[in-house]
Amino acid sequence: MTTMTEASVREFKMPDVGEGLTEAEILKWYVQVGDTVTDGQVVCEVETAKAAVELPIPYDGVVRELRFAEGTTVDVGTAIIAVDVSGGAAPEPAPAAPAESAPAPAEEAEPQGRTPVLVGYGVAASSTKRRPRKGPEVAVAAVPAGLNGHGPAAPAAAPVKERPLAKPPVRKLAKDLGVDLAQVVPSGPDGIITREDVHAAVAPAEPVVEAPVPAPAAVPAPAPAVAGYDSARETRIPVKGVRKATAQAMIGSAFTAPHVTEFVTVDVTRTMKLVEELKQDKEFQGLRVNPLLLIAKALLVAIKRNPEVNASWDEAAQEIVLKHYVNLGIAAATPRGLIVPNIKDAQDKTLPQLSAALGELVSTAREGKTSPAAMQGGTVTITNVGVFGVDTGTPILNPGESAILAVGAIKLQPWVHKGKVKPRQVTTLALSFDHRLVDGELGSKVLADVAAILEQPKRLISWA
């Protein structure tokens, strides 16, 4: 990788977008080599171990180099983009792909720098001299000829072999299928490799099965050989980003905090009626009102009645830290994996405020825009496994927290009500807690209080 030495070129390094994060994966570049950028403009999106974050550039200039391709994991503090801040005559040109030095031939070599723009790459800048907008057939022969052993008669083909033209989604497809783009014959305009080209590159493995030959004798014979996910029986997915962080956190929690889980099945018919009534209340107009809202409020009231459950274990100091605030975590399943953002100081929020906070938290998580700060400092968590039709579970504590409440599916079931068996809406709650902090009595009281409130939601008023 070429290092820029010109005074007018500034390098933007991968920042620590969370507390103590050491690396991040570049998900998407929003700029290309030669683009003009302004202070505060978002240039890329990266994924840390906690969330996807957009990175703004802190100065004006012209992009000279993109140091890493999409999908690359980069250490914090490593330069990822170089920007020419001089505002001189060199903004329009894109740097050459193969040339790393030799400023003299830069005037003619740089036109081929358009090649890596399509794949998000950029390499060393050569010179700030203007370049003519001519075709790429002159003066580049010296570099590719040395690299590929071809004569000067075919200089234009050499860069294509070295850095094939392909858009980021196509490049990712090739990587997933194990296809070397240098060996793919392009069919797109200007020699661009398409998705069909990549699929065609792996297709030869299928025709070799000789399906037409056994077909007359036994049609099922070729089917097993062809039927498969791209002819592969297994797919290996790199463990990184949110999935990697979740795995490490769960292992750490499961083998550090002694877990105890208690269960209770409760009639929530009155709570469901209250949910329907609140939906018609003008105070909740435009807000999300669902059972999770009242379950969250019930847990907050139960914590207020049993404050010792809201604590953490300080192993280094050998102390129990009682929290006088509740940062209520809500486990959310996203395409990138499980995340647990939390509502800060949830104990101080009114029911409409809590509803608004829950709605914002869920929508932000679904969009993949949850910030690392939103997932730090949680004290207790709710996980709603009922949305998947599951009755209950034994949830694992979020690291550093004392308890997590799992809410099962709410179903119409036969239930003894006022001495008679009637169909009632019933759910099962499960509370896991750290037995170093919470003993059986305290955990049972918290779970019983939550159940009592959901059975008789008027207790939200009498116990609040």
Side-chain angles (χ1 to χ4, degrees):
M1 187 89 39
T2 303
T3 301
M4 298 286 189
T5 57
E6 302 170 53
S8 63
V9 176
R10 299 186 62 178
E11 295 177 331
F12 178 60
K13 298 179 179 180
M14 178 70 74
D16 180 1
V17 294
E19 295 181 2
L21 298 178
T22 59
E23 62 183 18
E25 177 187 354
I26 298 175
L27 294 180
K28 182 177 180 62
W29 282 109
Y30 295 120
V31 296
Q32 296 178 343
V33 175
D35 286 355
T36 299
V37 294
T38 57
D39 186 0
Q41 177 180 340
V42 174
V43 295
C44 69
E45 181 182 23
V46 302
E47 182 182 39
T48 69
K50 297 182 178 180
V53 181
E54 292 182 333
L55 298 183
I57 199 79
Y59 30 76
D60 301 337
V62 177
V63 178
R64 290 285 296 274
E65 181 180 3
L66 303 181
R67 295 290 177 84
F68 297 96
E70 294 175 353
T72 305
T73 299
V74 182
D75 291 337
V76 168
T78 303
I80 59 174
I81 182 173
V83 175
D84 187 344
V85 297
S86 65
E92 264 190 280
E100 293 189 353
S101 55
E107 289 187 6
E108 296 146 327
E110 282 187 348
Q112 287 183 329
R114 295 293 182 186
T115 297
V117 170
L118 294 174
V119 297
Y121 289 159
V123 286
S126 51
S127 168
T128 55
K129 296 180 182 179
R130 282 189 183 273
R131 63 169 176 81
R133 293 184 175 273
K134 293 185 178 181
E137 63 266 18
V138 238
V140 189
V143 175
L147 293 176
N148 301 315
H150 296 306
V160 177
K161 288 186 178 181
E162 186 182 355
R163 289 192 186 279
L165 291 176
K167 295 183 179 180
V170 178
R171 183 168 291 276
K172 182 178 186 303
L173 174 65
K175 180 180 178 182
D176 293 341
L177 297 180
V179 175
D180 182 3
L181 288 178
Q183 306 301 321
V184 177
V185 179
S187 65
D190 300 323
I192 296 176
I193 297 174
T194 66
R195 297 178 67 90
E196 291 72 20
D197 297 334
V198 175
H199 284 297
V202 297
E206 297 177 358
V208 177
V209 177
E210 299 179 0
V213 177
V219 177
V226 180
Y229 300 102
D230 296 319
S231 301
R233 292 176 61 83
E234 296 179 350
T235 299
R236 289 182 174 268
I237 302 173
V239 179
K240 54 186 177 180
V242 175
R243 177 64 62 188
K244 181 178 180 180
T246 300
Q248 292 173 341
M250 292 300 97
I251 291 174
S253 176
F255 293 99
T256 300
H259 285 55
V260 173
T261 305
E262 294 186 340
F263 307 88
V264 63
T265 303
V266 57
D267 177 3
V268 294
T269 304
R270 292 187 178 91
T271 289
M272 298 303 291
K273 290 180 179 178
L274 179 57
V275 167
E276 295 304 316
E277 292 173 3
L278 291 178
K279 287 180 179 179
Q280 308 304 320
D281 194 312
K282 63 179 183 180
E283 295 293 330
F284 291 88
Q285 187 174 3
L287 298 176
R288 293 171 57 93
V289 179
N290 52 28
L292 180 61
L293 171 62
L294 296 183
I295 292 168
K297 191 64 176 178
L299 179 58
L300 291 171
V301 172
I303 292 173
K304 182 179 179 180
R305 287 166 54 85
N306 305 275
E308 296 85 359
V309 76
N310 190 39
S312 63
W313 182 274
D314 189 334
E315 181 66 28
Q318 285 295 293
E319 294 175 341
I320 294 175
V321 183
L322 294 177
K323 310 292 179 64
H324 304 300
Y325 58 90
V326 181
N327 289 346
L328 180 62
I330 305 295
T334 73
R336 293 190 176 97
L338 177 70
I339 63 174
V340 188
N342 60 75
I343 300 172
K344 311 297 184 186
D345 295 314
Q347 79 285 350
D348 294 332
K349 297 188 182 298
T350 63
L351 202 58
Q353 290 172 341
L354 187 61
S355 175
L358 280 170
E360 182 180 358
L361 179 149
V362 171
S363 61
T364 303
R366 285 177 177 171
E367 294 170 1
K369 302 300 182 183
T370 303
S371 66
M375 293 183 283
Q376 296 169 358
T379 60
V380 294
T381 292
I382 296 175
T383 176
N384 186 9
V385 297
V387 296
F388 305 109
V390 175
D391 291 333
T392 189
T394 54
I396 296 178
L397 294 168
N398 208 30
E401 299 182 9
S402 58
I404 179 171
L405 177 70
V407 183
I410 298 174
K411 299 179 179 178
L412 201 62
Q413 296 182 16
W415 193 265
V416 178
H417 178 66
K418 295 181 178 179
K420 296 182 180 179
V421 177
K422 297 182 179 181
R424 305 285 287 181
Q425 290 178 299
V426 177
T427 189
T428 300
L429 306 175
L431 182 72
S432 291
F433 49 86
D434 185 341
H435 216 349
R436 298 173 301 177
L437 299 161
V438 183
D439 57 25
E441 180 185 9
L442 178 58
S444 299
K445 285 182 177 180
V446 172
L447 185 58
D449 281 355
V450 174
I453 294 171
L454 296 180
E455 186 174 16
Q456 293 283 356
K458 64 183 180 182
R459 292 190 172 103
L460 286 173
I461 300 174
S462 59
W463 286 1

